[in-house]
Amino acid sequence: MKIFKRMTLAAVTGIFFMTGITETHAQSNEEALQSTENKIKETEKAVQQKEKEKQSINSDVQNIQSQLNSLHTVISSNKKELASTEKQISEANKMIEKKKKEIVLLQEKVLSRKDIIENRLVALQQDDKTSVVIDTLMNADNFGDFVARMGAVTTLLSADNDILKQHQNDLDQIEKDKKEIDKQEKVLEAAKGSLAAKQAELDKNVAKQTATLTTMQEKYSTVVNEIDAASSEKANLQSELTGIQDKIEKEKEAAQKQAEQVAKQQAAEKAEADAEAKRQAELATAKKEVKTEPKQEVKTAAATEKKATVSSEAKETKKEESTQKHSGKEMYVEATAYTANCAGCSGVTATGQNVSSGTHKIIAVDPSVIPLGSKVYVEGYGVATAGDTGGAIKGYRIDVLVPSESAAKAFGRRTVKITVLN
Protein backbone atom coordinates (compact mmCIF):
# COMPACT_ATOMS: atom_id res chain seq x y z
CA MET A 1 0.00 0.00 0.00
CA LYS A 2 2.80 2.38 0.88
CA ILE A 3 4.58 1.51 -2.35
CA PHE A 4 1.44 2.25 -4.30
CA LYS A 5 1.04 5.63 -2.58
CA ARG A 6 4.67 6.51 -3.27
CA MET A 7 4.33 5.60 -6.94
CA THR A 8 1.08 7.51 -7.23
CA LEU A 9 2.66 10.56 -5.61
CA ALA A 10 5.66 10.32 -7.98
CA ALA A 11 3.39 10.01 -11.03
CA VAL A 12 1.25 12.98 -9.98
CA THR A 13 4.37 15.00 -9.17
CA GLY A 14 5.80 14.16 -12.61
CA ILE A 15 2.59 15.18 -14.35
CA PHE A 16 2.42 18.48 -12.46
CA PHE A 17 6.11 19.05 -13.18
CA MET A 18 5.53 18.52 -16.91
CA THR A 19 2.46 20.77 -16.66
CA GLY A 20 4.60 23.43 -15.02
CA ILE A 21 7.19 23.13 -17.81
CA THR A 22 4.42 23.42 -20.42
CA GLU A 23 3.02 26.49 -18.68
CA THR A 24 6.52 28.01 -18.55
CA HIS A 25 7.00 27.38 -22.28
CA ALA A 26 3.53 28.76 -22.97
CA GLN A 27 4.32 31.90 -20.98
CA SER A 28 7.64 32.29 -22.83
CA ASN A 29 5.91 31.88 -26.19
CA GLU A 30 3.19 34.33 -25.18
CA GLU A 31 5.92 36.88 -24.38
CA ALA A 32 7.59 36.17 -27.75
CA LEU A 33 4.19 36.55 -29.44
CA GLN A 34 3.59 39.90 -27.73
CA SER A 35 7.11 41.07 -28.60
CA THR A 36 6.65 40.08 -32.26
CA GLU A 37 3.25 41.80 -32.41
CA ASN A 38 4.83 44.97 -30.98
CA LYS A 39 7.60 44.78 -33.59
CA ILE A 40 4.99 44.38 -36.34
CA LYS A 41 3.13 47.45 -35.05
CA GLU A 42 6.37 49.45 -34.96
CA THR A 43 7.20 48.27 -38.49
CA GLU A 44 3.72 49.22 -39.72
CA LYS A 45 4.10 52.64 -38.09
CA ALA A 46 7.50 53.08 -39.79
CA VAL A 47 5.99 52.04 -43.13
CA GLN A 48 3.15 54.56 -42.69
CA GLN A 49 5.64 57.33 -41.89
CA LYS A 50 7.75 56.41 -44.90
CA GLU A 51 4.62 56.37 -47.08
CA LYS A 52 3.79 59.91 -45.91
CA GLU A 53 7.38 60.96 -46.59
CA LYS A 54 7.16 59.30 -49.99
CA GLN A 55 3.95 61.22 -50.81
CA SER A 56 5.53 64.50 -49.64
CA ILE A 57 8.66 63.90 -51.75
CA ASN A 58 6.51 62.89 -54.71
CA SER A 59 4.56 66.15 -54.32
CA ASP A 60 7.85 68.11 -54.24
CA VAL A 61 9.06 66.24 -57.32
CA GLN A 62 5.85 67.09 -59.16
CA ASN A 63 6.16 70.77 -58.16
CA ILE A 64 9.76 70.89 -59.34
CA GLN A 65 8.77 69.10 -62.54
CA SER A 66 6.02 71.68 -63.05
CA GLN A 67 8.50 74.51 -62.48
CA LEU A 68 10.90 72.89 -64.93
CA ASN A 69 8.12 72.58 -67.48
CA SER A 70 7.34 76.31 -67.00
CA LEU A 71 11.03 77.15 -67.35
CA HIS A 72 11.28 75.08 -70.50
CA THR A 73 8.21 76.92 -71.86
CA VAL A 74 9.86 80.27 -71.10
CA ILE A 75 13.13 79.02 -72.60
CA SER A 76 11.30 77.90 -75.71
CA SER A 77 9.62 81.30 -75.97
CA ASN A 78 12.93 83.06 -75.33
CA LYS A 79 14.63 80.96 -77.99
CA LYS A 80 11.92 81.93 -80.46
CA GLU A 81 12.37 85.56 -79.50
CA LEU A 82 16.13 85.17 -79.78
CA ALA A 83 15.69 83.55 -83.18
CA SER A 84 13.45 86.45 -84.22
CA THR A 85 16.06 88.92 -82.99
CA GLU A 86 18.76 87.00 -84.83
CA LYS A 87 16.62 87.23 -87.93
CA GLN A 88 16.20 90.98 -87.41
CA ILE A 89 19.94 91.31 -86.86
CA SER A 90 20.52 89.35 -90.05
CA GLU A 91 18.13 91.59 -91.97
CA ALA A 92 19.69 94.66 -90.37
CA ASN A 93 23.13 93.39 -91.34
CA LYS A 94 21.88 92.96 -94.88
CA MET A 95 20.51 96.52 -94.80
CA ILE A 96 23.79 97.73 -93.31
CA GLU A 97 25.72 95.95 -96.05
CA LYS A 98 23.42 97.56 -98.60
CA LYS A 99 23.93 100.97 -97.02
CA LYS A 100 27.65 100.38 -96.97
CA LYS A 101 27.58 99.60 -100.69
CA GLU A 102 25.49 102.73 -101.35
CA ILE A 103 27.99 104.74 -99.34
CA VAL A 104 30.79 103.30 -101.42
CA LEU A 105 28.96 104.34 -104.62
CA LEU A 106 28.33 107.81 -103.26
CA GLN A 107 31.92 108.06 -102.18
CA GLU A 108 32.99 107.10 -105.69
CA LYS A 109 30.68 109.76 -107.17
CA VAL A 110 32.03 112.33 -104.76
CA LEU A 111 35.57 111.28 -105.66
CA SER A 112 34.85 111.65 -109.39
CA ARG A 113 33.24 115.06 -108.87
CA LYS A 114 36.12 116.09 -106.73
CA ASP A 115 38.46 116.13 -109.76
CA ILE A 116 35.98 118.16 -111.79
CA ILE A 117 35.39 120.64 -109.00
CA GLU A 118 39.11 121.02 -108.35
CA ASN A 119 39.71 121.72 -112.07
CA ARG A 120 36.92 124.28 -112.12
CA LEU A 121 38.25 125.94 -109.01
CA VAL A 122 41.74 126.09 -110.52
CA ALA A 123 40.32 127.69 -113.66
CA LEU A 124 38.36 130.24 -111.64
CA GLN A 125 41.43 131.05 -109.58
CA GLN A 126 43.47 131.73 -112.74
CA ASP A 127 40.77 133.83 -114.46
CA ASP A 128 38.26 135.98 -112.73
CA LYS A 129 34.82 134.48 -113.25
CA THR A 130 33.30 137.78 -114.25
CA SER A 131 36.09 138.49 -116.75
CA VAL A 132 35.62 135.08 -118.32
CA VAL A 133 31.91 135.67 -118.75
CA ILE A 134 32.48 139.18 -120.22
CA ASP A 135 35.18 137.92 -122.54
CA THR A 136 32.92 135.12 -123.70
CA LEU A 137 30.05 137.52 -124.44
CA MET A 138 32.20 140.25 -125.98
CA ASN A 139 33.82 137.89 -128.42
CA ALA A 140 30.43 137.11 -129.95
CA ASP A 141 30.28 137.64 -133.72
CA ASN A 142 26.76 138.95 -133.80
CA PHE A 143 23.74 139.31 -131.62
CA GLY A 144 22.57 135.76 -132.25
CA ASP A 145 25.94 134.47 -131.26
CA PHE A 146 25.76 136.71 -128.19
CA VAL A 147 22.42 135.24 -127.16
CA ALA A 148 23.74 131.72 -127.70
CA ARG A 149 26.84 132.46 -125.68
CA MET A 150 24.70 134.02 -122.98
CA GLY A 151 22.64 130.79 -122.70
CA ALA A 152 25.75 128.64 -122.63
CA VAL A 153 27.29 130.70 -119.83
CA THR A 154 24.06 130.48 -117.85
CA THR A 155 23.95 126.71 -118.37
CA LEU A 156 27.56 126.32 -117.31
CA LEU A 157 27.07 128.37 -114.20
CA SER A 158 23.89 126.48 -113.34
CA ALA A 159 25.64 123.08 -113.86
CA ASP A 160 28.41 124.10 -111.49
CA ASN A 161 25.84 124.96 -108.85
CA ASP A 162 24.01 121.61 -109.38
CA ILE A 163 27.23 119.67 -109.13
CA LEU A 164 28.18 121.42 -105.92
CA LYS A 165 24.71 120.97 -104.50
CA GLN A 166 24.56 117.23 -105.40
CA HIS A 167 28.02 116.79 -104.05
CA GLN A 168 26.99 118.27 -100.72
CA ASN A 169 23.78 116.21 -100.61
CA ASP A 170 25.73 113.02 -101.21
CA LEU A 171 28.14 113.89 -98.45
CA ASP A 172 25.26 114.60 -96.06
CA GLN A 173 23.54 111.29 -97.02
CA ILE A 174 26.74 109.38 -96.36
CA GLU A 175 26.97 110.79 -92.83
CA LYS A 176 23.27 110.15 -92.24
CA ASP A 177 23.56 106.52 -93.36
CA LYS A 178 26.60 105.99 -91.19
CA LYS A 179 24.72 107.27 -88.14
CA GLU A 180 21.70 105.05 -88.95
CA ILE A 181 23.93 102.03 -89.30
CA ASP A 182 25.60 102.76 -85.96
CA LYS A 183 22.19 103.19 -84.30
CA GLN A 184 20.77 99.96 -85.72
CA GLU A 185 23.87 98.02 -84.73
CA LYS A 186 23.68 99.30 -81.16
CA VAL A 187 19.94 98.53 -80.82
CA LEU A 188 20.30 95.03 -82.22
CA GLU A 189 23.39 94.25 -80.19
CA ALA A 190 21.62 95.46 -77.02
CA ALA A 191 18.59 93.27 -77.81
CA LYS A 192 20.80 90.30 -78.55
CA GLY A 193 22.79 90.84 -75.32
CA SER A 194 19.56 91.08 -73.29
CA LEU A 195 18.19 87.88 -74.75
CA ALA A 196 21.51 86.10 -74.25
CA ALA A 197 21.59 87.19 -70.59
CA LYS A 198 18.02 86.01 -70.14
CA GLN A 199 18.86 82.68 -71.74
CA ALA A 200 21.88 82.30 -69.46
CA GLU A 201 19.71 83.01 -66.40
CA LEU A 202 17.11 80.51 -67.59
CA ASP A 203 19.79 77.89 -68.19
CA LYS A 204 21.12 78.53 -64.70
CA ASN A 205 17.63 78.08 -63.18
CA VAL A 206 17.10 74.91 -65.20
CA ALA A 207 20.40 73.48 -63.98
CA LYS A 208 19.50 74.37 -60.39
CA GLN A 209 16.00 72.88 -60.64
CA THR A 210 17.38 69.78 -62.40
CA ALA A 211 19.89 69.26 -59.59
CA THR A 212 17.10 69.66 -57.01
CA LEU A 213 14.93 67.23 -58.97
CA THR A 214 17.76 64.69 -59.09
CA THR A 215 18.26 65.00 -55.33
CA MET A 216 14.53 64.57 -54.74
CA GLN A 217 14.39 61.55 -57.04
CA GLU A 218 17.32 59.95 -55.21
CA LYS A 219 15.60 60.65 -51.89
CA TYR A 220 12.39 59.19 -53.29
CA SER A 221 14.25 56.04 -54.38
CA THR A 222 15.83 55.75 -50.92
CA VAL A 223 12.43 56.02 -49.23
CA VAL A 224 10.96 53.43 -51.61
CA ASN A 225 13.83 51.05 -50.79
CA GLU A 226 13.29 51.67 -47.07
CA ILE A 227 9.56 50.93 -47.49
CA ASP A 228 10.40 47.70 -49.35
CA ALA A 229 12.85 46.71 -46.59
CA ALA A 230 10.28 47.50 -43.87
CA SER A 231 7.60 45.56 -45.76
CA SER A 232 9.97 42.60 -46.07
CA GLU A 233 10.74 42.79 -42.37
CA LYS A 234 7.02 42.94 -41.65
CA ALA A 235 6.45 39.83 -43.78
CA ASN A 236 9.23 38.01 -41.90
CA LEU A 237 7.71 39.06 -38.58
CA GLN A 238 4.29 37.89 -39.77
CA SER A 239 5.80 34.53 -40.65
CA GLU A 240 7.53 34.41 -37.27
CA LEU A 241 4.25 35.38 -35.59
CA THR A 242 2.43 32.55 -37.39
CA GLY A 243 5.11 30.11 -36.24
CA ILE A 244 4.78 31.25 -32.63
CA GLN A 245 0.98 31.01 -32.83
CA ASP A 246 1.27 27.46 -34.21
CA LYS A 247 3.70 26.60 -31.42
CA ILE A 248 1.32 28.02 -28.81
CA GLU A 249 -1.56 26.01 -30.29
CA LYS A 250 0.54 22.84 -30.13
CA GLU A 251 1.50 23.60 -26.54
CA LYS A 252 -2.14 24.22 -25.68
CA GLU A 253 -2.99 20.86 -27.20
CA ALA A 254 -0.15 19.25 -25.22
CA ALA A 255 -1.36 20.98 -22.05
CA GLN A 256 -4.89 19.74 -22.73
CA LYS A 257 -3.58 16.19 -23.20
CA GLN A 258 -1.62 16.50 -19.97
CA ALA A 259 -4.73 17.78 -18.24
CA GLU A 260 -6.63 14.78 -19.58
CA GLN A 261 -3.86 12.50 -18.33
CA VAL A 262 -4.03 14.16 -14.91
CA ALA A 263 -7.81 13.68 -14.92
CA LYS A 264 -7.42 10.02 -15.90
CA GLN A 265 -4.73 9.54 -13.26
CA GLN A 266 -6.92 11.17 -10.64
CA ALA A 267 -9.87 9.02 -11.72
CA ALA A 268 -7.70 5.89 -11.52
CA GLU A 269 -6.46 6.94 -8.09
CA LYS A 270 -10.00 7.56 -6.92
CA ALA A 271 -11.13 4.18 -8.26
CA GLU A 272 -8.17 2.54 -6.52
CA ALA A 273 -8.93 4.43 -3.32
CA ASP A 274 -12.57 3.41 -3.53
CA ALA A 275 -11.57 -0.21 -4.07
CA GLU A 276 -9.15 0.00 -1.14
CA ALA A 277 -11.84 1.57 1.03
CA LYS A 278 -14.26 -1.18 0.01
CA ARG A 279 -11.66 -3.83 0.79
CA GLN A 280 -10.98 -2.28 4.19
CA ALA A 281 -14.69 -2.14 4.88
CA GLU A 282 -15.10 -5.79 3.93
CA LEU A 283 -12.11 -6.68 6.07
CA ALA A 284 -13.58 -4.80 9.02
CA THR A 285 -16.88 -6.58 8.53
CA ALA A 286 -15.11 -9.92 8.40
CA LYS A 287 -13.25 -9.15 11.65
CA LYS A 288 -16.48 -8.17 13.32
CA GLU A 289 -18.11 -11.44 12.24
CA VAL A 290 -15.15 -13.41 13.52
CA LYS A 291 -15.62 -12.00 17.01
CA THR A 292 -19.22 -13.24 17.15
CA GLU A 293 -18.63 -16.76 15.62
CA PRO A 294 -17.22 -19.95 17.31
CA LYS A 295 -13.46 -20.45 17.47
CA GLN A 296 -13.51 -22.79 14.52
CA GLU A 297 -15.24 -20.15 12.46
CA VAL A 298 -12.83 -17.57 13.85
CA LYS A 299 -10.04 -19.59 12.38
CA THR A 300 -11.84 -19.72 9.09
CA ALA A 301 -12.36 -15.98 9.15
CA ALA A 302 -8.74 -15.46 10.04
CA ALA A 303 -7.74 -17.65 7.17
CA THR A 304 -10.07 -15.74 4.88
CA GLU A 305 -8.61 -12.46 6.10
CA LYS A 306 -5.11 -13.77 5.63
CA LYS A 307 -6.00 -14.97 2.16
CA ALA A 308 -7.55 -11.61 1.33
CA THR A 309 -4.49 -9.86 2.68
CA VAL A 310 -2.17 -12.09 0.65
CA SER A 311 -4.32 -11.51 -2.46
CA SER A 312 -4.20 -7.74 -1.89
CA GLU A 313 -0.45 -7.80 -1.39
CA ALA A 314 -0.10 -9.90 -4.54
CA LYS A 315 -2.10 -7.32 -6.47
CA GLU A 316 0.06 -4.52 -5.00
CA THR A 317 3.20 -6.43 -5.99
CA LYS A 318 1.85 -7.09 -9.48
CA LYS A 319 0.90 -3.43 -9.89
CA GLU A 320 4.29 -2.33 -8.56
CA GLU A 321 6.04 -4.67 -10.98
CA SER A 322 3.89 -3.35 -13.85
CA THR A 323 4.69 0.23 -12.88
CA GLN A 324 8.39 -0.52 -12.56
CA LYS A 325 8.33 -2.36 -15.86
CA HIS A 326 7.05 0.79 -17.57
CA SER A 327 9.48 3.16 -15.89
CA GLY A 328 12.37 4.53 -17.93
CA LYS A 329 13.14 7.11 -20.61
CA GLU A 330 9.89 8.45 -22.10
CA MET A 331 9.47 10.02 -25.50
CA TYR A 332 6.84 10.64 -28.15
CA VAL A 333 7.30 9.04 -31.58
CA GLU A 334 5.43 8.62 -34.85
CA ALA A 335 4.34 4.98 -35.11
CA THR A 336 3.27 2.82 -38.08
CA ALA A 337 2.74 -0.95 -38.40
CA TYR A 338 4.18 -3.70 -40.62
CA THR A 339 3.85 -7.44 -41.09
CA ALA A 340 6.42 -10.20 -41.54
CA ASN A 341 4.58 -11.62 -44.56
CA CYS A 342 4.46 -8.53 -46.82
CA ALA A 343 5.61 -8.73 -50.46
CA GLY A 344 9.41 -8.81 -50.49
CA CYS A 345 9.71 -9.34 -46.71
CA SER A 346 12.03 -12.15 -45.51
CA GLY A 347 10.38 -12.67 -42.13
CA VAL A 348 13.75 -12.22 -40.40
CA THR A 349 14.57 -9.05 -38.42
CA ALA A 350 17.77 -7.02 -38.58
CA THR A 351 18.91 -8.81 -35.41
CA GLY A 352 18.35 -12.27 -37.03
CA GLN A 353 15.10 -13.15 -35.26
CA ASN A 354 12.51 -15.14 -37.29
CA VAL A 355 9.11 -13.46 -36.83
CA SER A 356 7.18 -15.22 -39.60
CA SER A 357 4.58 -16.40 -37.13
CA GLY A 358 3.59 -12.77 -36.52
CA THR A 359 3.08 -13.33 -32.78
CA HIS A 360 6.29 -11.62 -31.64
CA LYS A 361 6.29 -8.20 -29.98
CA ILE A 362 8.94 -6.56 -32.14
CA ILE A 363 9.42 -2.91 -33.18
CA ALA A 364 11.68 -1.45 -35.84
CA VAL A 365 13.71 1.54 -34.55
CA ASP A 366 16.50 3.95 -35.39
CA PRO A 367 19.41 2.52 -33.32
CA SER A 368 20.82 6.03 -32.81
CA VAL A 369 17.63 6.88 -30.86
CA ILE A 370 16.62 3.50 -29.34
CA PRO A 371 19.40 0.89 -28.96
CA LEU A 372 18.69 -2.51 -30.54
CA GLY A 373 17.75 -5.14 -27.95
CA SER A 374 16.05 -2.58 -25.67
CA LYS A 375 12.74 -3.40 -24.04
CA VAL A 376 10.24 -0.71 -24.97
CA TYR A 377 6.71 -0.12 -23.71
CA VAL A 378 4.59 1.21 -26.58
CA GLU A 379 1.30 2.91 -25.76
CA GLY A 380 -1.54 0.82 -27.29
CA TYR A 381 0.81 -2.04 -28.23
CA GLY A 382 2.49 -3.24 -25.06
CA VAL A 383 6.04 -4.22 -24.16
CA ALA A 384 8.15 -5.02 -27.20
CA THR A 385 11.77 -5.62 -28.16
CA ALA A 386 13.66 -3.14 -30.34
CA GLY A 387 14.80 -5.86 -32.73
CA ASP A 388 14.47 -4.52 -36.24
CA THR A 389 15.38 -1.53 -38.44
CA GLY A 390 14.02 0.03 -41.64
CA GLY A 391 15.10 2.35 -44.43
CA ALA A 392 12.32 4.84 -43.59
CA ILE A 393 12.69 4.45 -39.82
CA LYS A 394 14.81 7.48 -38.95
CA GLY A 395 14.82 9.61 -35.83
CA TYR A 396 11.70 9.49 -33.68
CA ARG A 397 9.85 6.92 -35.74
CA ILE A 398 9.02 3.27 -35.02
CA ASP A 399 7.34 0.42 -36.90
CA VAL A 400 5.39 -2.14 -34.78
CA LEU A 401 5.07 -5.76 -35.92
CA VAL A 402 1.45 -6.95 -36.28
CA PRO A 403 0.05 -10.32 -37.43
CA SER A 404 -1.63 -9.20 -40.69
CA GLU A 405 -1.86 -6.44 -43.26
CA SER A 406 -5.42 -5.65 -42.12
CA ALA A 407 -4.09 -5.12 -38.61
CA ALA A 408 -1.36 -2.88 -40.01
CA LYS A 409 -3.93 -0.78 -41.89
CA ALA A 410 -6.12 -0.62 -38.77
CA PHE A 411 -3.12 0.59 -36.74
CA GLY A 412 -2.46 3.33 -39.33
CA ARG A 413 -0.11 6.21 -38.49
CA ARG A 414 -0.26 7.71 -35.03
CA THR A 415 1.79 9.61 -32.46
CA VAL A 416 2.31 7.52 -29.32
CA LYS A 417 4.19 7.74 -26.07
CA ILE A 418 6.86 5.08 -25.52
CA THR A 419 9.08 4.20 -22.58
CA VAL A 420 12.53 2.68 -23.04
CA LEU A 421 12.51 0.49 -19.98
CA ASN A 422 15.40 0.55 -17.52
Side-chain angles (χ1 to χ4, degrees):
M1 183 66 183
K2 291 181 179 179
I3 295 173
F4 170 74
K5 288 183 178 179
R6 286 199 298 271
M7 292 179 66
T8 302
L9 179 61
V12 172
T13 303
I15 291 172
F16 280 112
F17 177 72
M18 292 298 294
T19 304
I21 292 175
T22 303
E23 289 177 352
T24 302
H25 282 302
Q27 183 178 2
S28 176
N29 286 327
E30 289 290 345
E31 291 175 354
L33 181 66
Q34 184 64 40
S35 175
T36 305
E37 288 176 345
N38 291 336
K39 288 180 181 178
I40 290 175
K41 289 179 181 179
E42 291 175 359
T43 305
E44 287 177 345
K45 186 177 179 181
V47 169
Q48 291 174 357
Q49 291 176 346
K50 291 297 180 182
E51 284 290 348
K52 290 181 180 178
E53 188 176 351
K54 174 184 172 183
Q55 292 174 0
S56 176
I57 294 172
N58 190 42
S59 178
D60 291 340
V61 168
Q62 290 177 351
N63 290 335
I64 294 171
Q65 192 66 55
S66 177
Q67 292 175 12
L68 277 173
N69 291 337
S70 299
L71 281 172
H72 283 302
T73 301
V74 174
I75 288 171
S76 179
S77 176
N78 191 66
K79 284 182 177 179
K80 289 180 181 179
E81 191 174 348
L82 187 61
S84 176
T85 303
E86 291 284 356
K87 185 177 179 181
Q88 292 176 9
I89 290 172
S90 178
E91 291 175 354
N93 285 329
K94 290 179 181 178
M95 183 271 291
I96 290 170
E97 289 298 322
K98 183 179 178 182
K99 286 287 185 184
K100 288 179 178 178
K101 289 178 180 179
E102 291 176 354
I103 289 172
V104 170
L105 292 174
L106 288 174
Q107 288 175 342
E108 289 177 351
K109 287 181 181 181
V110 169
L111 183 61
S112 62
R113 289 195 201 101
K114 183 178 179 182
D115 294 335
I116 297 171
I117 292 171
E118 286 180 352
N119 291 332
R120 299 285 291 178
L121 290 173
V122 170
L124 288 173
Q125 287 177 354
Q126 292 176 353
D127 296 315
D128 184 64
K129 188 175 181 181
T130 304
S131 300
V132 172
V133 172
I134 292 172
D135 289 341
T136 301
L137 293 175
M138 293 300 294
N139 290 327
D141 295 334
N142 51 42
F143 183 74
D145 185 31
F146 177 79
V147 171
R149 289 188 177 211
M150 188 66 179
V153 170
T154 301
T155 300
L156 287 172
L157 293 175
S158 176
D160 288 342
N161 288 331
D162 289 341
I163 290 171
L164 291 172
K165 187 176 180 181
Q166 183 63 42
H167 187 69
Q168 187 61 48
N169 288 337
D170 289 342
L171 291 173
D172 292 341
Q173 185 64 43
I174 288 170
E175 293 300 323
K176 182 179 179 182
D177 289 344
K178 285 182 178 180
K179 290 179 180 179
E180 182 64 25
I181 288 171
D182 291 339
K183 180 181 177 182
Q184 288 294 328
E185 286 178 342
K186 289 178 181 179
V187 170
L188 291 175
E189 286 299 325
K192 186 176 180 180
S194 176
L195 288 174
K198 185 177 180 181
Q199 181 65 35
E201 183 66 23
L202 289 171
D203 290 339
K204 182 179 178 181
N205 288 335
V206 168
K208 182 179 179 181
Q209 293 292 349
T210 301
T212 304
L213 179 62
T214 301
T215 301
M216 285 295 178
Q217 288 172 337
E218 290 174 354
K219 190 175 181 181
Y220 182 85
S221 298
T222 301
V223 171
V224 169
N225 291 335
E226 289 174 352
I227 290 173
D228 290 341
S231 299
S232 178
E233 182 181 357
K234 180 183 174 183
N236 292 335
L237 289 172
Q238 288 285 6
S239 178
E240 183 179 342
L241 181 68
T242 302
I244 294 173
Q245 289 173 338
D246 291 342
K247 195 172 182 181
I248 289 174
E249 287 299 322
K250 289 179 180 178
E251 289 180 349
K252 285 181 179 178
E253 291 176 2
Q256 185 176 358
K257 288 181 180 179
Q258 287 179 354
E260 291 173 356
Q261 289 179 358
V262 170
K264 287 180 181 179
Q265 184 70 28
Q266 290 175 345
E269 290 171 5
K270 186 176 183 301
E272 192 70 31
D274 290 343
E276 179 66 18
K278 184 178 179 181
R279 191 185 70 78
Q280 292 293 339
E282 290 176 352
L283 185 60
T285 302
K287 286 181 179 180
K288 187 176 181 181
E289 290 175 352
V290 168
K291 289 180 181 180
T292 58
E293 290 180 358
K295 289 183 178 180
Q296 186 178 359
E297 293 180 358
V298 168
K299 288 181 180 179
T300 304
T304 302
E305 181 181 354
K306 182 178 181 181
K307 185 178 180 180
T309 303
V310 170
S311 177
S312 176
E313 289 177 353
K315 287 182 180 179
E316 287 290 333
T317 302
K318 185 177 182 180
K319 184 176 180 184
E320 182 177 350
E321 289 175 354
S322 174
T323 305
Q324 289 175 347
K325 183 169 38 175
H326 296 171
S327 64
K329 183 179 180 182
E330 296 180 349
M331 63 184 74
Y332 285 91
V333 297
E334 185 178 2
T336 53
Y338 74 108
T339 67
N341 300 314
C342 63
C345 296
S346 65
V348 178
T349 67
T351 57
Q353 188 174 2
N354 192 329
V355 292
S356 300
S357 63
T359 59
H360 297 77
K361 288 285 187 176
I362 298 291
I363 61 173
V365 299
D366 183 347
S368 66
V369 178
I370 302 172
L372 287 173
S374 302
K375 292 292 183 180
V376 182
Y377 173 75
V378 181
E379 184 180 37
Y381 183 73
V383 177
T385 302
D388 205 356
T389 60
I393 307 304
K394 300 295 182 184
Y396 290 87
R397 280 202 59 190
I398 66 171
D399 220 357
V400 301
L401 179 67
V402 294
S404 62
E405 290 187 12
S406 60
K409 291 179 180 178
F411 188 89
R413 184 184 295 272
R414 62 181 78 171
T415 301
V416 298
K417 179 181 179 182
I418 67 170
T419 305
V420 181
L421 303 176
N422 294 329

